[in-house]
Every structure is written in structure tokens, then in C-alpha cells.
Amino acid sequence: MKQLMITVILLGSILFFSQSNNVVRSQNLASTDNATLVRAETKAERDQRMKWWREARFGMFIHWGLYAVPAGEYKGKRSERIGEWIMEWANIPRADYEKFASQFNPVKFNAAEWVRIAKNAGMKYIVITSKHHDGFAMYGSQVSKYDIVDATPYHRDPIKELAAEAKRQGLKFCFYYSILDWHYPAVYVDAAGKDPTAGNRTTKMKPGGKEEYVKYMKAQLRELIATYDPGVLWFDGEWQDWWTEADGKDLYRYVRSLKTDIIINNRVGKGREYAGDFGTPEQQIPANGLAGVDWESCMTMNTTWGFKFYDDKWKTPETIIRNLIDIASKGGNYLLNVGPTAEGQIPGPSIERLAEVGKWMKANGESIYGTTASPFATQLKFGRATSKPDRIYLHVFDWPADGSLHVPAFGKSLKRGYLLASPKTALKSVESSEGLVLQLPAAPPDPIATVVVLETKD
Ligand code: JFZ
């Protein structure tokens, strides 16, 4: 019996390793252990689980919490730092920070409108902060009184409406959840000049506190999964000394046991690169993507995640659209943030930018959704590329002055080339050993990014 079991386990892991799509992943303990801890997952099963997420390419991040009340200013003090960290940079004791709850009354919140804004931008999923570092639950939690239903004059659960509305409009609904918690009683700060109950980058845990806190987190995660059925759990705040890789694996396994096909980011464990199901580069696009692993770049549209009323350093629509293309061309997803106000409104400049992205996505979305990374060995001089089995999409950022677009060889021959906007007009082309020269119109139909389709044959 025992021998049989060992054989089964060995065969299982050989199968897992041989099917694992790359060396990096199989070298990583978290991904292999996690999978075997839940139950051995084959590559096909994993591909199935990741399918919707890989095809989606574009999601909305929502940082919404009590920090929207001070909105970046406390006792007259402003900062260049991010808004949701105000409890840290303004050194606000727990008892004072709690008072923001009585001022949090998002009467202008409209779930249908938020989801419509995301959907019209071309986004396929939403990731909202269920609990950020400040420890405040933005949903109706039964295991804490420090939540939106119990502690604010709003007395309602906006997350329920948002989850239902996302489902209605066909977007996946997902949660951010912080492991770092500046409000939990067993957690304290031990740093020069800091109040022991304020926010801090690093925290300490009272003896025996972690076990109790992990139980609390698990109870909240159980509520989140049972009530709102999230597609992704996006952990954060894992860099605390008291949080270990083993804790991360245990939490990963716990969450998967509650919902087998859920997707979990890497910040559940200590390794920012490979623990969990996907990597999370923040405010940056890795030059060559992340080889062999799923990944998602999260980014702000101005310089903060949580709302700050005076942050007006907005990215242009061109930058945002080109970032989305750049990320897709490297095989990643783009999680683009909005920071709603304490009244429940997405800032106007965010809405305007998302509408611009939406216009572009409406015309060019097929060059993003369900694509894989660029087939070219080096980055194109004129822009970016994505691919599908029978075609390549070229995203032209820099329009050729003489109208001749030089495309390096891509190992297949060309069936037909055309502008995505005018599929009936074949572009004149000359093939050579160096590649392809396409004759484009004199002016770019879309100066942000014009998409050229290359239908290919093997
Ligand atoms: C984290 C959060 O802290 C931040 O508030 C936001 O939610 C972002 C998406 O994720 O970003 C970090 C992570 C680590 C540090 C700072 C910001 N750090 O270690 O100083």
C-alpha cells in the first residue's frame, strides 16, 4: 500500500514536471508545491484555469478605502507619497485613523456606472481592494466591526452591488487583499519616531498573534469567496518579517481549497517573482516580459493608487494605450488603476482617459484580446507586435516617412497584409530574405497606434 502510494506520488510529480511549461516554474517551490498540495495539476488543467485571464489582457484595479477621506492631506500636511499609505507617512495612530470611517459615506457610488466605465474601456475584469494595509474591510464582514457596513454612515455593502453588476455586464470580479494589516490588535509598529499603532512599512507581531491573525484572514477570505465568488485573489503586503514562504503556501492552498479554479498572484508568498500563479511587476513593464510565467503589470494613471485630490500628474491616453500594447506584445496583462473618492466617484480625468482607451480598443481590440507575445526576436523599431496562430498584428507607433514599413523576417510567409481598419484593401508588399516591406498610406490613420494585420501561412 505504502509503496503504491509512493509510486503514485512519484509518477504524479514526474508528470507535473514534464508537463510544466518551463524550467523556471518547475524550479520554483511555490508553484509546484502549491499545485501538488492542492492536488496535482497538469499543464492542461492549469491552462484551463488560466484561460480567461490570459485572454483578457486588460483589467481595472480599484483602490478604494478610508484613505479616500483624507485624500492625501492630514492636518494640513501633503505628501508626494501614495494616498493609501497616509496612515504610514502622516504617522496616524489607529484610534485617529478609525475616525475616517464616520466620514466615509459614498452616496454617489453607482455600481452599474463603475462597471460600464471599465467595460467601455475594453477591460475584462475588475480587482478591488477588499482590505488594504489599513485593515478596513470595504465589504460587510461578519468577523470584524471595522468594515463599511458596521463602521460608516453608509451602512451598506457596495461590493455586493459591484460583484452582481460585474457579473451582469460580463466582467470577472476579483479581490485585492492585504496580508499587512495596520489595524489588527496583535500587530504593532516598533520604529523611531513612529506611533506604535500607526502605519509602517514593516510591522511586528505580538507573541502568539500570528496564529490568531491567520485565522482571522482565513475567515475573511472564506467570506469573500463564499459571498462574491472572485476570479482572482490578489494578495499584497507579504514582505513583513513575520510572514514566511510556508505561510504563503498554506494560504495559497487554503484559498484554492475554497475555490479550485481561482487564480492567485505571487504576493501570497515571499518571492515576488514566481510564487503563486502570476507575477506582478508594479508601475513598470519588464523590458522582455517575464519569461515562461504569467504576469500582469499594475499601474496608476496619475501617481497614486488611493485617491489624492491634488494629484494631477496624469498619463496621456497615448501613453496608456501604448503601455497596454507594449504589455500585450510581451505576453502580459495590464491592470490599470482608478482611485475613487469617499463619495464614491471615479475621478473625471480617469474616466476621460478610459473612454479614449475604449475608443481605441473598440476598433483594435482583436489585436490585443487572446493574443500571445510578439513573434519577433527583437523589439520592432516602429512599434510592437502580437500574434495569433494564423496572423500577426503590427502596432505602428512611428509611421514611416516614406510610407515603407520594414518588417523583419518572422519565419512564415505572408498570405495577405492590410490595415485592421480597412480589411478589404490589401497592402502592396515585397518579401525578401530580410523580411517584408509593406507600402502604407502617407499618413497614419491612428497616430497613437495603427494596426496592420499580417495573415500568415506556414
Ligand atoms: C503595494 C501597496 O503597498 C500599494 O499601496 C498598492 O496597493 C500597490 C498596488 O501594491 O505596493 C507597494 C509594495 C511594497 C512597497 C510599496 C508599495 N514597499 O515595500 O515599500
Side-chain angles (χ1 to χ4, degrees):
M1 187 61 196
K2 203 173 169 195
Q3 258 192 334
L4 183 74
M5 268 175 64
I6 290 170
T7 315
V8 168
I9 289 169
L10 267 175
L11 272 175
S13 47
I14 287 166
L15 196 70
F16 181 82
F17 276 91
S18 59
Q19 296 209 338
S20 171
N21 51 2
N22 64 88
V23 183
V24 182
R25 275 216 87 83
S26 55
Q27 275 173 346
N28 178 260
L29 280 176
S31 55
T32 55
D33 282 12
N34 283 337
T36 47
L37 282 170
V38 179
R39 142 180 103 76
E41 185 184 42
T42 63
K43 180 178 181 295
E45 284 171 327
R46 183 186 153 77
D47 287 346
Q48 190 52 38
R49 184 163 62 88
M50 297 301 292
K51 190 170 184 286
W52 74 262
W53 188 91
R54 286 175 180 162
E55 286 172 359
R57 297 279 102 150
F58 191 27
M60 176 183 271
F61 214 173
I62 305 180
H63 276 74
W64 198 34
L66 292 186
Y67 37 80
V69 172
E73 186 174 280
Y74 188 69
K75 293 186 173 167
K77 192 184 166 225
R78 297 185 189 181
S79 170
E80 288 298 302
R81 307 273 308 280
I82 44 186
E84 72 282 6
W85 275 65
I86 195 167
M87 188 172 169
E88 187 262 358
W89 56 256
N91 192 24
I92 309 176
R94 224 165 262 176
D96 291 331
Y97 190 89
E98 280 174 356
K99 292 177 190 156
F100 294 138
S102 64
Q103 297 166 65
F104 192 90
N105 195 11
V107 291
K108 292 184 179 158
F109 168 71
N110 183 328
E113 201 174 303
W114 283 22
V115 177
R116 204 177 310 122
I117 290 167
K119 188 173 180 163
N120 286 344
M123 292 159 154
K124 300 289 191 189
Y125 59 108
I126 291 175
V127 183
I128 189 166
T129 46
S130 57
K131 183 198 88 171
H132 204 268
H133 306 335
D134 65 3
F136 187 76
M138 287 297 288
Y139 68 99
S141 175
Q142 305 300 314
V143 298
S144 172
K145 290 256 168 267
Y146 199 47
D147 71 335
I148 190 160
V149 178
D150 294 310
T152 76
Y154 192 58
H155 291 304
R156 274 168 49 196
D157 181 350
I159 304 297
K160 250 193 189 139
E161 290 166 46
L162 196 64
E165 196 54 47
K167 198 170 182 188
R168 197 167 303 138
Q169 296 192 40
L171 275 78
K172 289 273 185 185
F173 184 75
C174 312
F175 280 126
Y176 167 107
Y177 187 90
S178 176
I179 292 165
L180 168 58
D181 189 320
W182 294 328
H183 189 266
Y184 195 77
V187 176
Y188 66 100
V189 169
D190 178 16
K194 289 303 282 284
D195 185 283
T197 69
N200 203 52
R201 211 184 86 80
T202 55
T203 57
K204 291 192 170 163
M205 191 58 91
K206 288 178 187 163
K210 188 167 88 177
E211 289 66 28
E212 179 199 310
Y213 176 57
V214 169
K215 273 195 196 126
Y216 172 76
M217 280 202 291
K218 285 183 173 175
Q220 289 206 321
L221 291 163
R222 178 181 285 281
E223 292 178 328
L224 291 173
I225 291 170
T227 316
Y228 312 91
D229 192 33
V232 173
L233 258 161
W234 210 106
F235 286 101
D236 190 25
E238 80 295 344
W239 61 86
Q240 304 308 297
D241 285 339
W242 46 263
W243 188 252
T244 68
E245 185 66 23
D247 293 330
K249 284 180 193 166
D250 177 68
L251 200 59
Y252 179 100
R253 182 183 52 183
Y254 175 75
V255 170
R256 288 281 308 277
S257 79
L258 296 176
K259 182 176 171 167
T260 0
D261 63 351
I262 202 166
I263 297 169
I264 301 166
N265 73 336
N266 63 336
R267 300 189 189 181
V268 67
K270 301 298 275 188
R272 287 223 149 195
E273 289 299 310
Y274 301 118
D277 297 317
F278 64 93
T280 52
E282 184 176 319
Q283 301 285 40
Q284 48 139 331
I285 302 170
N288 301 300
L290 295 182
V293 295
D294 292 293
W295 59 279
E296 171 193 72
S297 274
C298 54
M299 244 182 243
T300 52
M301 275 192 262
N302 50 1
T303 70
T304 184
W305 304 92
F307 180 65
K308 276 169 85 180
F309 70 87
Y310 52 89
D311 184 338
D312 56 6
K313 295 197 186 96
W314 296 96
K315 293 183 175 77
T316 62
E318 177 181 277
T319 298
I320 295 167
I321 292 166
R322 289 185 174 182
N323 280 346
L324 172 59
I325 296 166
D326 189 21
I327 289 167
S329 81
K330 291 164 182 172
N333 282 10
Y334 194 26
L335 187 64
L336 185 60
N337 185 72
V338 298
T341 67
E343 282 196 299
Q345 289 186 302
I346 297 176
S350 299
I351 298 176
E352 289 159 24
R353 279 154 185 78
L354 291 174
E356 290 297 315
V357 180
K359 270 189 219 154
W360 190 88
M361 283 297 272
K362 210 164 181 180
N364 302 291
E366 71 156 271
S367 73
I368 303 291
Y369 303 125
T371 61
T372 52
S374 165
F376 300 100
T378 56
Q379 192 164 288
L380 298 170
K381 288 198 183 77
F382 58 80
R384 300 290 183 273
T386 57
S387 44
K388 281 184 189 168
D390 61 345
R391 63 194 57 205
I392 294 168
Y393 296 99
L394 304 174
H395 299 91
V396 186
F397 294 170
D398 301 315
W399 201 254
D402 62 357
S404 305
L405 189 73
H406 294 256
V407 184
F410 44 85
K412 290 181 176 183
S413 54
L414 181 71
K415 206 155 100 189
R416 194 162 172 273
Y418 54 90
L419 297 180
L420 183 57
S422 7
K424 286 185 184 139
T425 316
L427 297 168
K428 287 200 180 111
S429 64
V430 181
E431 276 183 272
S432 76
S433 56
E434 266 107 86
L436 192 66
V437 181
L438 287 168
Q439 230 28 70
L440 301 181
D446 187 330
I448 293 182
T450 296
V451 179
V452 176
V453 184
L454 303 180
E455 284 183 7
T456 55
K457 51 183 185 229
D458 294 311

